[in-house]
Every structure is written in structure tokens, then in C-alpha cells.
Amino acid sequence: MNSPLNPTPAESHAALTAIAAARAQAHADYQKLLAELDRAEAFHRARLDAPTARAS
């Protein structure tokens, strides 16, 4: 490595590849989290909308 302020073209390419991979992983993790939140929201909305059992 030359220096952080003067990387070689190969170092820049490697850094950009790593950044792209990290960005893709973060996006996938975010999408999974949103899906989990959607499922939790649907579950609780369904529970609130369901008729309640009443004691006789």
C-alpha cells in the first residue's frame, strides 16, 4: 500500500469492490429487517382486528 491518500489502482479497485459488497449486504439485511417488521405488524393488527372471545 502506498498510502491512504495515494492508493495504487489495484488498491482502489479492491476498496471499491469491498464497499460494493458491504453495501449489498447492508441492503439485504435491511430488506430482511423490513420484512420481519411487516410480519410483526400484520400479526398484531390481525390480533387487534380479531373478534375477542367472551366469557359466558
Side-chain angles (χ1 to χ4, degrees):
M1 176 180 200
N2 281 345
S3 114
L5 298 178
N6 189 21
T8 66
E11 290 168 337
S12 288
H13 186 292
L16 290 172
T17 300
I19 290 167
R23 184 182 304 272
Q25 185 61 55
H27 181 73
D29 292 345
Y30 178 69
Q31 293 301 315
K32 287 179 190 174
L33 177 60
L34 287 179
E36 188 174 330
L37 290 171
D38 286 345
R39 285 190 297 273
E41 181 181 15
F43 172 80
H44 288 288
R45 286 189 185 281
R47 292 208 20 117
L48 286 176
D49 293 342
T52 56
R54 297 188 181 187
S56 36

